[in-house]
Amino acid sequence: MTFSPAYLRRIGVRVLLNALTLIIIISLSYAIMKAAPGKPFQTERNPSPEVLAELHRKYDFTYWQYLQGILFHGDFRYSYSHRNSTVLEILGEALPVSLELGACALLIAVAAGLAAGLLSALFRGRWFEGLVLSFAMLGIAIPSFVLGSLLQLLFSLHWRVTPVAGWSGWDSKILPIITLSFAYIAYITRIARGSFMENLNKDYIRTARAKGLPEGRVLWKHLLRNSILPVINYLAPAAAYILTGTLVVERIFNIPGMGRYFVESVFQRDFPLALGVIIIYSLFLLFLNLLADIVLTLIDPRIRLQ
């Protein structure tokens, strides 16, 4: 596999730009947190000046201390609301939960979206296409908090087949994963359907069929490989949106992931914890966008030779 020098330079520039973008995100987030009303150590019982000074000495930090700690030592500081626990310790327990929820939702969205997009393109003009398009419009129109509450009402309270909330057994994970993946199944279906329909009319598909190749080989080897590029291009932002979309889903289903800690940290003025969640989400977004660029290059040789 050969990569052109121009392409390698482009990847290097992307890495540097991502690092610069991360510093800008940290700086803006820090400024917004500091400008927000309310102080982290304000309580109904005002502490004495000595106690307040000790709290500031242990937990407070300047912008440069925070930035240097993140960039050179991976130090996300101590949480204000979870005393004696660092932000990394808290997020280290919450991140696997959010990743499991997001990864399951993304895998289901890709598999179901590609299958629905392919079948609706193959059965164009029939009732199945109308059914798929109706489902896609429904998936895009319904907000996740409405869908999640509706599923809880039907499956948990009315039929009693799944728990209302939690993240302990496999049955407790069904409703959150469906809620999170529903809209992305709809988006991927629309993108895949358009790409499949465009490529079905190309000469290389007609040529492959004229050669007598089995229909399964035509669809798998020729159609899918050339039609999947727009879907892969969409997956990087979709994966980031799914991770950030867990903010709402984790709150609805009381899941101990990063989204729940972020909401709690905002209400409790826990600036280090809120900043830590923002930085982790930003790292994922930047990394996934870069990864999508590299994967597209591996699939389509024309890009890496440009």
Side-chain angles (χ1 to χ4, degrees):
M1 185 176 298
T2 304
F3 293 94
S4 67
Y7 176 76
L8 294 176
R9 279 197 300 273
R10 197 177 82 182
I11 293 296
V13 171
R14 283 284 303 274
V15 173
L16 292 176
L17 288 176
N18 283 351
L20 181 61
T21 303
L22 182 64
I23 292 174
I24 293 173
I25 290 172
I26 294 174
S27 305
L28 289 177
S29 302
Y30 182 91
I32 292 171
M33 293 289 175
K34 284 294 183 183
K39 300 297 180 184
F41 305 124
Q42 280 182 344
T43 61
E44 293 180 355
R45 295 180 305 170
N46 289 327
S48 63
E50 293 77 14
V51 173
L52 199 58
E54 180 63 20
L55 288 173
H56 280 291
R57 186 193 65 77
K58 182 174 181 180
Y59 291 102
D60 218 352
F61 49 85
T62 66
Y63 166 73
W64 288 111
Q65 288 174 333
Y66 187 74
L67 187 62
Q68 289 175 1
I70 292 289
L71 295 181
F72 299 112
H73 306 291
D75 181 11
F76 285 67
R77 314 295 296 188
Y78 278 91
S79 164
Y80 290 163
S81 56
H82 299 76
R83 299 292 166 82
N84 299 321
S85 294
T86 65
V87 171
L88 274 185
E89 290 172 348
I90 297 169
L91 297 185
E93 296 178 359
L95 183 59
V97 176
S98 294
L99 286 180
E100 183 183 0
L101 173 60
C104 290
L106 187 62
L107 285 175
I108 290 175
V110 171
L114 283 176
L118 176 61
L119 291 175
S120 64
L122 292 176
F123 295 101
R124 186 180 182 185
R126 301 183 186 179
W127 65 269
F128 184 79
E129 185 190 23
L131 181 66
V132 170
L133 292 179
S134 300
F135 169 80
M137 289 182 63
L138 196 65
I140 295 171
I142 296 182
S144 58
F145 66 89
V146 174
L147 178 64
S149 303
L150 188 62
L151 292 177
Q152 282 177 321
L153 185 65
L154 291 176
F155 290 93
S156 302
L157 300 179
H158 186 66
W159 292 319
R160 299 181 183 276
V161 293
T162 60
V164 178
W167 190 257
S168 54
W170 64 269
D171 53 345
S172 67
K173 302 176 182 179
I174 295 174
L175 296 187
I177 291 172
I178 292 175
T179 303
L180 189 57
S181 63
F182 194 66
Y184 296 95
I185 293 175
Y187 281 117
I188 292 176
T189 297
R190 293 185 62 174
I191 295 171
R193 175 179 173 272
S195 184
F196 283 132
M197 288 177 61
E198 180 183 350
N199 284 292
L200 274 172
N201 297 320
K202 293 287 181 64
D203 290 339
Y204 68 89
I205 295 293
R206 285 194 287 267
T207 303
R209 285 172 171 165
K211 288 180 178 177
L213 294 178
E215 186 66 12
R217 187 175 177 184
V218 173
L219 296 179
W220 177 256
K221 186 176 180 180
H222 296 280
L223 180 63
L224 183 62
R225 181 171 181 175
N226 290 285
S227 304
I228 203 172
L229 295 179
V231 176
I232 292 176
N233 209 21
Y234 170 74
L235 283 185
Y241 293 146
I242 279 183
L243 276 178
T244 52
T246 59
L247 291 173
V248 176
V249 176
E250 288 176 6
R251 191 69 176 171
I252 294 173
F253 292 96
N254 195 28
I255 297 172
M258 289 181 55
R260 196 183 75 175
Y261 279 113
F262 179 73
V263 174
E264 290 178 359
S265 66
V266 171
F267 283 113
Q268 295 172 352
R269 306 290 191 272
D270 190 345
F271 300 150
L273 186 54
L275 282 170
V277 175
I278 292 172
I279 291 170
I280 296 296
Y281 278 143
S282 303
L283 277 172
F284 271 106
L285 178 61
L286 296 171
F287 171 74
L288 290 173
N289 274 303
L290 182 63
L291 183 64
D293 198 2
I294 295 173
V295 171
L296 280 173
T297 306
L298 295 176
I299 293 177
D300 190 351
R302 293 171 298 178
I303 299 177
R304 65 173 177 266
L305 293 175
Q306 285 177 356

